[in-house]
Structures are given as structure tokens and as C-alpha cells.
Amino acid sequence: MILDAPSVICKGYERHYLPGTMFGPYSFRSICDGREEVDSVGESRKNMVEVAVIVKIVQDLFKAWEGSREKLTIGIISPYAAQVATVQEKIGRKYEKLKNFSLRVMLVEGEEDIVIISTVRSDSGGSIGSLSNPKHCNVALTRARHCLWIMGNDKTLSNSGSCWEMIVQDAKDRNCFFYAHEDKEIAKVLLEAKKELGQLDDLLNGDSVLFKSARWKVYLVINLGGHLGN
């Protein structure tokens, strides 16, 4: 029911903050090799692989911003307090008090130039709990002024029987769906994160999209073989 304003539809409204189609005005990036974890008190969830990818994207955005110093606001949204806290911890205070560069990590959605949504959930059964709330979903999807980048496990979300099933399919239909490992630098981040977390065995199962890629099989063998027991 929401329609774009004429000013938003015009070509001149588009902003490209990073190179590549994956970083266009709208994209869904599938991260199938992450694990959802319950926090220490069992009340919230986090996904450390998604956190690693978010940190990398923020670093790249900051480097690109340094070249122009034009005003840029970034919002990182997740419905899980544990994910928000973990992203805040990893990013630290590096980007605080910078003129024209604003970064917020939040549960409550605010309007920003770039919004990154971290859906966290990653399980074979398609269970996503409160993430399936369509009201919260609608608000999150309408907070970006120029770029909306969604991260999640497309298989989990597609099997959830929720609005996320339609969102994933819509992204595919409009050629806005990507596997995160298709970006070479992000693929390295994925592998290093799995290595640091002691989760490299996950990459050997049949569901690992990353390991299905011949190029990354070679990378694993050459660089991480010792951690996989050769």
C-alpha cells in the first residue's frame, strides 16, 4: 500500500556508497553458513557470522566516506537485543563523534541513509519466532532513505511461513538477491569468522553454499587445511 514519492523514483535520487550490484539501493544477501546462538540468559539470539559481515561492510563504508566527507547516516537494525549488543561491542567507539558520519545500532528503527537489517535466524526448520511479526517487518523495511541491505539465511526465512518468505522471493524476482560469498572480500570474512569461532566443520556439510564454490574449496584447503584436519 506504500508508494514511492516522485522525488524517490527519479534516477537522480539513487546513491551508490560502495561498488557492485550487491551494494545497490536494495539487496538481500544470503548468509547460509552462520549459526544462531542463544545468549547467556536464554532470552535473545545472535549470529556471529552476520556480525562479522556487518563489521566489514561498516569498515568499507567508512573508507569510502573518508574520500568525500559528505554527510552519511547508517542504521544497523536487528530484532534481537543480543545481536545489537554484539555488533555494538565489535564496532566499539571508533565511529563516535565524527562530523558527517553517523552510525547507530538499534532495536528501535530510525530513518537513515543506509539501513542494514540483520535477521539472525539460521536453522533448518524455518523457525523465526518474533521475527515473523509483519508490523515490525514493515517498519524495518521502510527506514532507509537510499539503501536497504538485508542479511539473513534465505532457506530459513523462505521456510518460515511468514512475510519473509515473500520478501526473499521478491528479491529473487527483481534480481536483488545475492549470496554474500559472491563478494570476494566478504567471502574471506565469512571463512575467517568460521575459523575464529571454531565452526569450520560446518563448511563441509552439504548445505554450505560457500563450500559448493570450487574457488573457495581451494582457498579452504590451502589456507585453512590444518584446522580441518587436512
Side-chain angles (χ1 to χ4, degrees):
M1 300 297 290
I2 298 176
L3 301 177
D4 293 324
S7 60
V8 174
I9 296 173
C10 71
K11 192 70 175 178
Y13 188 82
E14 284 190 18
R15 300 288 186 276
H16 294 273
Y17 298 99
L18 292 174
T21 54
M22 190 181 295
F23 297 99
Y26 175 67
S27 68
F28 183 101
R29 305 135 201 249
S30 182
I31 303 176
C32 296
D33 291 309
R35 287 186 193 176
E36 63 174 75
E37 306 172 34
V38 179
D39 67 6
S40 58
V41 294
E43 294 183 353
S44 189
R45 285 175 166 80
K46 60 184 179 180
N47 185 319
M48 297 302 295
V49 173
E50 282 190 18
V51 170
V53 174
I54 289 170
V55 171
K56 168 63 176 172
I57 292 173
V58 170
Q59 290 171 344
D60 289 346
L61 285 169
F62 181 71
K63 289 178 183 177
W65 171 82
E66 283 188 305
S68 67
R69 297 281 173 166
E70 294 183 3
K71 186 176 181 180
L72 176 63
T73 62
I74 304 166
I76 300 169
I77 296 173
S78 179
Y80 297 101
Q83 187 78 343
V84 169
T86 304
V87 172
Q88 289 173 330
E89 178 184 350
K90 290 292 184 180
I91 290 176
R93 299 180 177 274
K94 180 179 179 180
Y95 306 109
E96 291 184 359
K97 299 180 180 179
L98 289 172
K99 185 178 180 180
N100 290 336
F101 187 92
S102 171
L103 174 67
R104 295 200 298 162
V105 188
M106 51 200 166
L107 282 166
V108 178
E109 298 84 356
E111 188 174 283
E112 312 290 351
D113 294 327
I114 301 171
V115 169
I116 302 171
I117 300 177
S118 175
T119 60
V120 176
R121 302 303 290 262
S122 183
D123 67 78
S124 57
S127 174
I128 64 171
S130 60
L131 181 64
S132 63
N133 187 316
K135 292 183 179 179
H136 294 166
C137 180
N138 285 338
V139 173
L141 293 175
T142 56
R143 297 302 89 195
R145 294 191 189 97
H146 295 289
C147 292
L148 174 63
W149 302 334
I150 304 172
M151 293 191 298
N153 185 324
D154 70 293
K155 292 183 178 179
T156 296
L157 298 177
S158 294
N159 292 329
S160 66
S162 71
C163 57
W164 283 100
E165 180 180 354
M166 293 180 286
I167 291 169
V168 172
Q169 188 57 52
D170 175 69
K172 291 179 178 179
D173 292 343
R174 296 199 287 129
N175 297 318
C176 296
F177 176 92
F178 306 90
Y179 287 107
H181 75 270
E182 292 173 338
D183 181 284
K184 183 171 66 172
E185 294 303 314
I186 290 182
K188 290 180 180 179
V189 169
L190 292 171
L191 289 169
E192 292 300 327
K194 297 297 283 185
K195 174 183 174 182
E196 183 179 340
L197 295 166
Q199 299 176 6
L200 287 176
D201 287 349
D202 290 353
L203 303 181
L204 300 179
N205 66 48
D207 293 329
S208 173
V209 177
L210 185 58
F211 194 65
K212 288 177 182 178
S213 167
R215 177 177 64 175
W216 295 110
K217 284 182 183 179
V218 172
Y219 181 92
L220 276 168
V221 170
I222 293 174
N223 294 280
L224 307 176
H227 297 274
L228 291 169
N230 298 308

